[in-house]
Amino acid sequence: MTLMPSIDANTDAIQSPTPAEARRLSDELGRVGGGVIYTNSLATLNGTVFFLTRDEHAKRLGVISTDANANIGLEGETRRVRLADKTLTLCDMTAANAMRLRAVLPFLIPRPLGLRLSAGCGDRLGLATPGHIRAIRESSMAPILAQQSIRENSRTGRTPQEVMDDAMWGVFQEGWREGFGADADHLKTPEDFDSCAAAGYTFFTVDPSAHVDNGANTDDTNTLRQKTESLPWDVIEDSYNDLRSRLTTKPVDLGTFNITISEEECLRAAAKYGRALAHTVEMSRHLAGRMGDRPFEVEMSVDETDTVTSLAEHVYIASELKRLGVRVVSLAPRYVGDFEKGVDYIGDFAQFEHSFAQHFAVAQAFGPYKLSLHSGSDKFSIYPIASRVAGELIHLKTAGTSYLEALRAIAMINPSLFREISRFAAERYPTDRATYHVSAQIEKMPDVNKLPDDKLTDLLDDFHAREILHVTFGSVLNHSKFREPFFKSLRADEETYYGVIETHFDKHLAPFGNTQRAASD
């Protein structure tokens, strides 16, 4: 059942009221008890108006229609009042109502973004999307607005569907009509893919890191041969002799230069990444069967591994994916240097640029596909390099930085809560850091007890404090002492949170180009 079966769900037919009309409607709703309207959300379709409103209790979906029976598909508690000659219905923001609203307003449905320059805006709280969109409006980047890994879901207590719906309500609130993607991030099992496909995701990041053999990076030749012999050759539809013939008998043309791969490099690449390749193939084919006719995109990520992806290894991965018919829209190698969580790049900039340019040549030769910058939050020093080298063919992936900026807002709104969270994070850090690549030291974290309220946000600009606060997000959000006041504070002063998010993401996105409007002129 759709929300309003009589409405033609044509995006071109959806209109926004003029600013004067929006103000008049908002004033009228205020008088009849409909709350305050988010005016950007207003959308008119065949005489029916949809909008998001907020009163002292909660946000609600509002529908104004001349047909009192038009909203029979809505679920949840509703109330009706007369508004001129029309009927106002206020509805709870439930999953069922989100589904029905998507059926009517197709701009709320995520879609593949293709090879457009893009940014993933992970949101562990379900509150950040309006701030992300405000930054995106001034950017050349296409947004992925629903993005969360299964690991993050387990730590925040959210489901893939909740992540999707939270992002959708943010898109609706801000009136974003330019399209967005939805990234089911770092998936490892068929069950992961199934749950995210059911929730409507369009971008699927295969994480085969558990199948990468980091030991192959330093194994001797005999060990490499033994490991290579035991690879699942049936899955990758190949043999080592055929692989060797393809990669080592002649130089590989990468457009601007050629690379000659030795037999040892070929062995090392296969031993290190062969099982990861097989897993990616299996998951991609499983996903294709699950998605049927629905369009989708695949990213392969090997960034969360112990060893750098060499040029020869990238050639191996890319050429084999292409041979096996697995088309990726982006790929995340393990780059040189350190991409620690929530802080700037650590490493030699010249070395990174040289290596990144080589990886880009591989992406061009065997794709084209985008190079993905995972753990890309706050890597301000290398954004200009990546943009200069790869241009449009970049996907920037962020996640934890939006949680950190929520803490910045908490420090401004509720200093006492921020102090408690900071002390708790320092206690939890030795345990919570186990699954992250971080180097922060507790003894180097500034003492929150010695900072006045107006200096608390300085902790979010300190390397050690920022990482410690980053990796402890799950412990904080799952703690009964913090969870309710955390969300209550942000919801009570959401504009402060949107503001710090917009400012922070402007810094992320600006190095990649001017506004979308300028880019299209």
Side-chain angles (χ1 to χ4, degrees):
M1 180 187 299
T2 60
L3 176 62
M4 299 181 64
S6 62
I7 290 179
D8 175 19
N10 183 339
T11 302
D12 294 335
I14 300 170
Q15 300 177 339
S16 298
T18 66
E21 291 171 335
R23 286 194 297 271
R24 183 170 60 253
L25 181 57
S26 183
D27 290 343
E28 290 177 357
L29 284 170
R31 284 195 294 271
V32 300
V36 178
I37 285 182
Y38 292 89
T39 54
N40 285 342
S41 71
L42 285 159
T44 302
L45 183 61
N46 293 349
T48 297
V49 181
F50 302 87
F51 60 92
L52 197 67
T53 183
R54 176 178 180 171
D55 59 22
E56 66 273 18
H57 302 294
K59 294 180 183 179
R60 291 185 175 87
L61 164 65
V63 183
I64 300 175
S65 175
T66 55
D67 181 0
N69 297 316
N71 303 307
I72 57 174
L74 293 170
E75 294 183 355
E77 182 180 355
T78 63
R79 58 189 176 90
R80 293 179 171 83
V81 296
R82 299 304 302 178
L83 183 66
D85 61 341
K86 298 184 180 182
T87 298
L88 165 66
T89 303
L90 297 177
C91 317
D92 295 333
M93 291 168 55
T94 63
N97 284 339
M99 178 184 69
R100 286 164 171 77
L101 192 60
R102 279 190 284 263
V104 177
L105 304 179
F107 66 83
L108 299 177
I109 301 172
R111 63 196 190 200
L113 301 179
L115 294 180
R116 295 175 62 190
L117 176 68
S118 55
C121 305
D123 177 12
R124 294 170 179 172
L125 306 176
L127 303 175
T129 296
H132 291 151
I133 290 173
R134 293 178 189 186
I136 285 289
R137 287 189 192 278
E138 304 304 318
S139 166
S140 61
M141 304 184 90
I144 287 181
L145 297 173
Q147 175 200 294
Q148 195 154 306
S149 68
I150 296 298
R151 177 177 66 186
E152 290 167 345
N153 277 326
S154 66
R155 292 182 179 180
T156 58
R158 303 169 79 201
T159 66
Q161 189 65 63
E162 288 171 335
V163 174
M164 175 69 76
D165 291 347
D166 286 339
M168 187 217 78
W169 291 117
V171 171
F172 181 51
Q173 177 177 316
E174 287 296 306
W176 176 253
R177 308 285 176 85
E178 306 303 315
F180 67 99
D183 180 3
D185 195 17
H186 282 283
L187 305 183
K188 299 183 179 184
T189 69
E191 293 75 22
D192 293 344
F193 285 90
D194 290 346
S195 63
C196 294
Y201 285 76
T202 56
F203 183 105
F204 297 82
T205 301
V206 184
D207 180 357
S209 57
H211 304 273
V212 174
D213 186 340
N214 290 292
N217 207 57
T218 55
D219 284 335
D220 60 39
T221 302
N222 287 335
T223 303
L224 292 175
R225 290 188 187 281
Q226 293 171 7
K227 289 183 175 182
T228 302
E229 288 173 1
S230 66
L231 291 177
W233 293 106
D234 56 332
V235 176
I236 52 182
E237 303 168 12
D238 201 15
S239 69
Y240 176 68
N241 287 336
D242 288 342
L243 173 67
R244 179 180 58 191
S245 177
R246 289 193 302 274
L247 292 188
T248 67
T249 56
K250 61 180 180 180
V252 179
D253 183 5
L254 296 180
T256 56
F257 65 96
N258 294 338
I259 176 177
T260 299
I261 299 176
S262 68
E263 181 169 0
E264 181 178 339
E265 288 175 317
C266 182
L267 277 170
R268 199 172 301 282
K272 183 176 177 180
Y273 287 112
R275 295 185 186 279
L277 174 68
H279 181 74
T280 301
V281 170
E282 289 182 318
M283 294 301 99
S284 298
R285 291 176 177 172
H286 173 84
L287 176 62
R290 184 69 175 77
M291 294 291 286
D293 295 333
R294 291 164 51 195
F296 67 95
E297 298 170 320
V298 171
E299 174 177 273
M300 181 183 183
S301 166
V302 293
D303 68 298
E304 292 193 355
T305 55
D306 297 335
T307 55
V308 170
T309 304
S310 71
L311 181 61
E313 289 162 354
H314 191 172
V315 169
Y316 165 73
I317 293 169
S319 62
E320 291 302 280
L321 288 173
K322 185 173 184 178
R323 178 182 64 82
L324 289 161
V326 177
R327 184 176 180 180
V328 294
V329 72
S330 53
L331 191 147
R334 171 70 160 82
Y335 299 107
V336 297
D338 289 320
F339 282 68
E340 295 192 10
K341 299 294 185 180
V343 296
D344 208 343
Y345 174 78
I346 303 171
D348 182 277
F349 299 142
Q351 183 186 27
F352 173 80
E353 180 163 1
H354 176 72
S355 175
F356 192 78
Q358 290 185 321
H359 283 301
F360 180 64
V362 178
Q364 289 281 81
F366 293 99
Y369 52 80
K370 293 182 281 191
L371 287 180
S372 196
L373 296 171
H374 283 213
S375 298
S377 302
D378 307 288
K379 305 300 182 290
F380 302 114
S381 61
I382 63 167
Y383 296 155
I385 296 173
S387 180
R388 182 169 62 251
V389 170
E392 292 284 308
L393 291 177
I394 295 173
H395 177 57
L396 172 66
K397 187 169 293 195
T398 74
T401 198
S402 293
Y403 168 77
L404 288 170
E405 293 309 299
L407 289 177
R408 188 185 300 276
I410 293 289
M412 299 161 66
I413 299 166
N414 192 339
S416 61
L417 176 61
F418 179 80
R419 291 180 188 278
E420 289 187 84
I421 290 173
S422 297
R423 288 190 286 265
F424 176 73
E427 295 173 3
R428 288 293 310 173
Y429 178 65
T431 300
D432 290 353
R433 67 174 298 180
T435 54
Y436 288 97
H437 177 54
V438 289
S439 60
Q441 300 175 43
I442 293 176
E443 59 272 18
K444 293 185 179 180
M445 178 179 177
D447 187 350
V448 69
N449 298 314
K450 296 180 180 180
L451 294 174
D453 286 355
D454 63 351
K455 296 295 184 181
L456 288 177
T457 57
D458 290 353
L459 280 183
L460 278 306
D461 301 317
D462 176 82
F463 176 94
H464 299 279
R466 194 168 178 86
E467 285 201 334
I468 290 167
L469 291 167
H470 181 290
V471 304
T472 54
F473 76 92
S475 294
V476 171
L477 295 178
N478 286 310
H479 198 295
S480 58
K481 181 179 181 180
F482 302 125
R483 186 174 182 88
E484 183 176 350
F486 190 104
F487 282 92
K488 183 177 180 180
S489 296
L490 293 177
R491 288 181 173 127
D493 192 353
E494 61 184 9
E495 284 300 321
T496 293
Y497 184 33
Y498 299 158
V500 296
I501 286 286
E502 181 180 6
T503 298
H504 197 57
F505 271 76
D506 282 344
K507 291 174 61 180
H508 282 76
L509 307 180
F512 295 97
N514 297 320
T515 65
Q516 292 179 332
R517 291 183 296 278
S520 62
D521 290 343

